[in-house]
Amino acid sequence: MKDNLMVKLSRFIVEKRYLIFLILVISVIFSAFSVQWVKVENDLTKYLPDEAMSTEALNLMGEEFVTYGSADIMLANVTYDEAERIYKEIRDIDGVQSVTFDNTTVHYNNASALYSVMFAYPDKDERCLVALETIEEKYQDYDIYVSTLLGNAVQENLEKETTVIMAISSILVVIVLILTSESYGEVPVLLLTFLSAMILNMGTNFVMGTISFISNSVTSTLQLALSLDYAVIMVNRYREERQSLPTEDAVVAALSKAIPEITSSSLTTIGGLCAMLFMQFKVGPDMGINLIKAIFFALFAVFFIMPGLLVLFAPLIDKWKHKSFIPKVSFIGEFAYKSYKVIAPVFLVVALIAMYISGSCPYAYGEDGIPTPLKNETQIAKQMMSDTFTSTNMIAVIVPSGDFDSERELLNELTAMDEVHSAMGLANIEAMDGYTLTSKLNPRQFAELADLDYEIAQFLYTAYATEHEEYGEIIRGVSNYGIPLMDIFLYVCDMLDQGLVELDIEQMNMLSDLKVQLNSGKDQLLGENYNRMLVYTTLPLGSETTYEFVETVKATAQSYYPDGDVHVVGNVTTEMDFKESFVLDNVVVSVVSILIVLVVLLFTFNSVAMPIVLIMVIQGSIWLNFSYPTIIDDPVFFLSYLITSSIQMGANIDYAIVAASRFMEVKDKMPKKEAITETMNFAFHTIITSGSIMVAAGFLVGNITSSGSIVSMGQGLFRGTCISIVLCLFVLPQMLLKSEKLVDCTSFSTASLKNVAKNLLEVKDNEERVTD
């Protein structure tokens, strides 16, 4: 008999194994370099929908204003006099533009001082870090805490934590594989397969340009957990074929049978992950693509690399055989047969209750609302500052430029609000002698303020009017000509730089210092088309009251600029955008993941009822999973909920598929009690192997990281997989027994369709005979 296409392909892969090994070695070497090309994005706001409130405002701020580097620095156990002395010292450090410090509880409390430092350079400038390091080194003998967004501290911390997670995961995987294998020689084959897939996936991430820190941190761990089934299936097939065939023929036969089986198994996982591609919040597509790519590399490793490894390690596999450590679990099948009439309906009731409870799951839209088992230095500093000082949250209000009178009135109204600690804009920053930066001064006022001769002041005003083509002011006389203080001061500085005006040394030093401050203020608060105001509120993040207050601020600002484009942006508005996108994404992910998995299962089982039964069990585990945080009132990071739901539906359902497929094979060949017992003995190995890896991955990710979003996802996967395993072992068998007849009735297999067609033809023939 001629070999079919699958056998020919498998034989080609086995025969060309050394060529494949060579290509693999070259690819691994390339990946070692290309992994360094991957750019990691730590700012989740970059993934907001284009139409989100924060997206437009952040883009506008990037175009119109300069954001200078900043840091909050806390010194504990200092007297106020000492704190004031240090404030003056920090202010004089090279690279520091300004320091905010006073005797209010915002900056001094419980013998601790908080300095809000602004550096003289934009936040991306490396000189900001140099200045910050100078401060840290100068006060290293104090109890110092630093909170800043400068540098890549977040990414560096996560990379260290990910390394620890992968190291522990590797040890756990080896233990699980030893316990679930039947030969110690299988373990290196499985590990090399996993390692190849992981390295190739990491090495190709650069083609995506930039990936999120979430994808970068957990993809490798989840790849291992999601794709373990495929390698185990291949090993099991090889083990069966090796009993009657020589090594190479056994690998060929095993691969030809495993390819369609593994491909079918991977479709539900890929289908669940595809749901993330439809999310508005672009971290979903980012992580979905990364995980789907990881699955494809896992399939590639199993189909192309693993066959050669099996041939290579075959002598060791044969030599190091051991008894299986996985026990028979006949008691599960016996229990299922005795209890299916009770457990199945009880589960349906519990699932409906869980659906209702999980609908009230508390969500967090900022990482600060998620407690983490580990805290990095920045988190510790922020917590210390929050516990010690009156905390404030900053929001930026962006309004059309050109109307400083309206800006002043708006700032006064905002400052008077109970929720506002302070508000700052060009129109209320005091320069000197009671004048603000935008106060309009005539020549005499300016001469008195700057200690200039009146004639020089008149000359400067005339030159300013000429340069700005305001000739009417010259004709009327410049004595009543008013120019904003910051504009005339900066103009004088330019005249000094050009050598057109000469002043004494004291005046020049004063103007030189003032020029730096004025330019900094203009860069941050005055754009070409918009002005920016900074409002510091005393309301907490993640609060509905805060969200409502933001709307109040925007409405108030809009009342002063009825025909202008007004924006409000800050951490709180980002949370509001996350919340808004989650409403739709939650529905989309749930519906799409169920529909895709449903379609795959329909063609897998050729039955309408079986997919519904399996999805009901896994969806029930999802509802139970998120009932827990509802009951204990523990917020779940919204993104973690979406990712966890997708992975549970796509990956955990594989456990149910294994059991259901086996039951459909044996249910008509033996009594139902023996059939369900045989089913669970067969499925237990796969469920416990894959499930334990996913449980371990979730536990490690949820307990060895300082990122709230990743912690929340890990905890959800750990809890959800545990529930899925329990349901697949102690509820699914009962559901299979209870729904057996319904599954048969809704079958649309080819054989069933042929029988239906045959019956219809017989009926038609009988009708024709009667007619004749």
Side-chain angles (χ1 to χ4, degrees):
M1 182 182 293
K2 292 184 177 180
D3 292 338
N4 61 35
L5 178 62
M6 200 61 67
V7 173
K8 289 180 180 179
L9 175 61
S10 301
R11 192 172 299 282
F12 175 82
I13 292 172
V14 173
E15 290 176 351
K16 301 298 180 181
R17 59 186 178 276
Y18 293 111
L19 175 61
I20 293 172
F21 287 157
L22 176 62
I23 295 173
L24 174 64
V25 171
I26 295 172
S27 300
V28 167
I29 294 173
F30 172 79
S31 296
F33 290 96
S34 63
V35 73
Q36 301 174 40
W37 305 340
V38 180
K39 296 179 180 178
V40 180
E41 179 57 68
N42 297 312
D43 186 1
L44 289 180
T45 62
K46 301 292 185 183
Y47 295 94
L48 282 168
D50 293 336
E51 64 276 9
M53 173 172 57
S54 297
T55 302
E56 186 177 355
L58 289 169
N59 291 337
L60 189 62
M61 284 204 302
E63 295 169 2
E64 293 273 327
F65 310 104
V66 176
T67 299
Y68 284 81
S70 63
D72 285 331
I73 299 173
M74 173 182 170
L75 296 182
N77 302 313
V78 293
T79 64
Y80 183 78
D81 290 340
E82 189 177 12
E84 197 166 30
R85 174 183 60 79
I86 293 173
Y87 153 67
K88 295 174 182 177
E89 291 176 354
I90 295 176
R91 194 175 54 183
D92 294 334
I93 290 176
D94 187 36
V96 173
Q97 183 181 116
S98 64
V99 183
T100 304
F101 175 78
D102 54 40
N103 61 359
T104 67
T105 55
V106 173
H107 292 287
Y108 187 83
N109 193 36
N110 292 335
S112 297
L114 178 63
Y115 306 100
S116 298
V117 180
M118 181 180 294
F119 300 101
Y121 318 104
D123 56 358
K124 303 299 182 184
D125 196 313
E126 290 295 324
R127 289 176 292 180
C128 293
L129 284 173
V130 173
L132 179 58
E133 288 168 3
T134 301
I135 297 173
E136 291 179 299
E137 186 176 343
K138 184 176 180 66
Y139 300 103
Q140 61 183 335
D141 294 333
Y142 288 83
D143 295 329
I144 185 171
Y145 303 91
V146 178
S147 175
T148 183
L149 296 177
L150 297 173
N152 293 315
V154 173
Q155 184 177 337
E156 291 169 1
N157 285 326
L158 286 176
E159 286 176 353
K160 292 176 184 176
E161 293 161 1
T162 301
T163 302
V164 174
I165 290 172
M166 287 304 300
I168 299 176
S169 296
S170 301
I171 295 171
L172 292 176
V173 167
V174 171
I175 294 172
V176 170
L177 293 179
I178 289 174
L179 293 176
T180 57
S181 67
E182 294 186 8
S183 169
Y184 298 118
E186 295 171 359
V187 176
V189 173
L190 293 167
L191 289 178
L192 287 172
T193 302
F194 298 148
L195 188 62
S196 300
M198 183 183 72
I199 292 174
L200 293 175
N201 187 56
M202 291 173 63
T204 54
N205 279 338
F206 75 93
V207 300
M208 298 182 64
T210 302
I211 64 173
S212 69
F213 72 92
I214 297 177
S215 297
N216 188 59
S217 299
V218 302
T219 297
S220 295
T221 306
L222 292 180
Q223 180 186 26
L224 177 62
L226 292 170
S227 60
L228 180 67
D229 290 0
Y230 315 148
V232 171
I233 290 172
M234 180 63 188
V235 167
N236 290 340
R237 282 293 183 185
Y238 168 73
R239 197 184 299 139
E240 292 174 5
E241 300 296 336
R242 185 69 180 88
Q243 293 175 2
S244 58
L245 294 173
T247 299
E248 288 197 22
D249 290 341
V251 175
V252 171
L255 182 59
S256 64
K257 294 176 181 178
I259 288 176
E261 185 177 352
I262 293 171
T263 302
S264 176
S265 175
S266 69
L267 288 177
T268 52
T269 302
I270 294 172
L273 297 175
C274 280
M276 289 193 281
L277 304 181
F278 294 88
M279 287 171 54
Q280 291 185 99
F281 188 40
K282 296 172 187 175
V283 167
D286 173 84
M287 190 164 186
I289 291 171
N290 270 280
L291 287 175
I292 290 171
K293 183 164 69 71
I295 296 298
F296 279 123
F297 274 111
L299 293 173
F300 171 80
V302 171
F303 294 158
F304 289 92
I305 299 170
M306 194 173 185
L309 292 174
L310 285 170
V311 176
L312 188 65
F313 284 86
L316 294 179
I317 294 174
D318 293 339
K319 182 180 179 180
W320 291 347
K321 287 184 178 179
H322 62 77
K323 291 182 180 180
S324 175
F325 297 111
I326 300 296
K328 294 290 184 181
V329 288
S330 301
F331 71 92
I332 293 179
E334 294 171 359
F335 171 74
Y337 186 75
K338 293 178 181 178
S339 62
Y340 77 92
K341 292 182 180 180
V342 176
I343 295 294
V346 167
F347 167 71
L348 294 178
V349 173
V350 171
L352 289 174
I353 295 173
M355 178 182 69
Y356 174 77
I357 295 174
S358 63
S360 302
C361 182
Y363 298 109
Y365 300 97
E367 290 198 84
D368 291 342
I370 306 295
T372 57
L374 296 181
K375 291 189 183 297
N376 56 47
E377 290 183 2
T378 300
Q379 288 173 318
I380 293 171
K382 290 176 70 174
Q383 186 65 52
M384 288 290 293
M385 294 172 190
S386 176
D387 293 343
T388 306
F389 304 100
T390 302
S391 59
T392 59
N393 295 315
M394 189 270 286
I395 57 176
V397 181
I398 303 171
V399 298
S401 61
D403 188 352
F404 288 120
D405 291 335
S406 294
E407 181 176 321
R408 185 180 302 106
E409 292 177 15
L410 173 58
L411 286 166
N412 290 337
E413 183 170 350
L414 293 174
T415 304
M417 293 180 176
D418 294 336
E419 300 88 348
V420 175
H421 174 268
S422 62
M424 180 182 72
L426 288 173
N428 75 342
I429 296 178
E430 185 174 340
M432 53 180 64
D433 294 352
Y435 293 114
T436 66
L437 292 177
T438 60
S439 297
K440 289 185 177 182
L441 278 66
N442 59 37
R444 186 168 299 280
Q445 291 171 320
F446 178 68
E448 293 173 354
L449 182 65
D451 194 20
L452 292 174
D453 289 338
Y454 180 60
E455 289 76 13
I456 295 177
Q458 284 185 310
F459 166 75
L460 291 170
Y461 270 61
T462 302
Y464 182 94
T466 302
E467 187 170 319
H468 290 79
E469 298 181 356
E470 296 182 355
Y471 303 112
E473 299 293 344
I474 299 175
I475 295 172
R476 286 192 294 269
V478 296
S479 58
N480 293 319
Y481 182 22
I483 301 176
L485 183 149
M486 62 179 179
D487 291 340
I488 189 60
F489 261 120
L490 288 173
Y491 181 72
V492 172
C493 291
D494 290 340
M495 298 284 278
L496 281 170
D497 293 340
Q498 297 173 39
L500 300 176
V501 174
E502 292 184 3
L503 299 175
D504 60 43
I505 294 177
E506 185 177 345
Q507 290 172 323
M508 290 183 66
N509 289 338
M510 183 269 291
L511 286 174
S512 179
D513 292 340
L514 187 59
K515 181 180 179 180
V516 173
Q517 300 297 327
L518 289 174
N519 280 326
S520 172
K522 289 187 70 173
D523 287 343
Q524 296 181 79
L525 302 175
L526 179 65
E528 185 177 347
N529 302 298
Y530 291 88
N531 286 6
R532 177 166 62 173
M533 290 166 274
L534 305 180
V535 180
Y536 295 86
T537 77
T538 55
L539 297 174
L541 287 171
S543 163
E544 288 296 332
T545 303
T546 309
Y547 299 156
E548 293 171 3
F549 178 69
V550 168
E551 297 294 346
T552 300
V553 170
K554 186 172 183 178
T556 303
Q558 195 71 64
S559 68
Y560 285 91
Y561 300 87
D563 301 322
D565 196 13
V566 172
H567 302 272
V568 178
V569 64
N571 289 336
V572 63
T573 61
T574 300
E575 289 186 6
M576 293 169 69
D577 287 331
F578 287 162
K579 183 178 180 181
E580 185 175 345
S581 68
F582 174 69
V583 173
L584 180 60
D585 285 344
N586 188 18
V587 176
V588 169
V589 168
S590 299
V591 173
V592 172
S593 61
I594 289 175
L595 287 178
I596 294 177
V597 171
L598 180 62
V599 170
V600 173
L601 294 180
L602 279 172
F603 288 97
T604 300
F605 290 99
N606 296 321
S607 169
V608 174
M610 182 60 83
I612 294 174
V613 171
L614 300 187
I615 288 175
M616 192 181 301
V617 172
I618 300 303
Q619 186 61 53
S621 74
I622 295 173
W623 288 331
L624 287 168
N625 185 10
F626 292 102
S627 292
Y628 177 77
T630 306
I631 294 170
I632 66 171
D633 194 26
D634 183 23
V636 175
F637 190 61
F638 78 102
L639 180 61
S640 304
Y641 171 83
L642 297 173
I643 293 173
T644 301
S645 299
S646 298
I647 292 176
Q648 266 198 267
M649 182 54 69
N652 290 175
I653 203 165
D654 281 352
Y655 314 155
I657 292 172
V658 171
S661 299
R662 189 65 171 182
F663 182 70
M664 295 299 288
E665 284 181 31
V666 302
K667 71 183 183 67
D668 295 327
K669 299 177 183 178
M670 57 185 75
K672 295 298 179 285
K673 181 178 180 180
E674 294 179 17
I676 201 65
T677 301
E678 161 64 21
T679 294
M680 298 317 297
N681 279 329
F682 174 83
F684 182 72
H685 182 280
T686 301
I687 293 173
I688 206 65
T689 303
S690 301
S692 60
I693 297 296
M694 182 67 83
V695 167
F699 179 82
L700 292 172
V701 169
N703 288 276
I704 310 182
T705 183
S706 56
S707 168
S709 57
I710 297 176
V711 164
S712 188
M713 182 176 65
Q715 291 174 345
L717 284 175
F718 167 74
R719 191 171 56 241
T721 304
C722 288
I723 294 171
S724 294
I725 291 173
V726 171
L727 293 185
C728 286
L729 292 177
F730 297 102
V731 173
L732 178 62
Q734 288 88 333
M735 295 289 288
L736 292 174
L737 288 168
K738 190 71 174 176
S739 62
E740 179 200 358
K741 293 181 180 179
L742 181 61
V743 170
D744 290 340
C745 291
T746 58
S747 173
F748 55 87
S749 63
T750 304
S752 298
L753 293 175
K754 285 182 178 179
N755 289 332
V756 171
K758 182 179 178 181
N759 292 335
L760 288 174
L761 288 174
E762 289 177 355
V763 171
K764 185 177 180 181
D765 288 342
N766 290 334
E767 289 177 350
E768 288 177 352
R769 291 195 188 107
V770 171
T771 303
D772 291 341

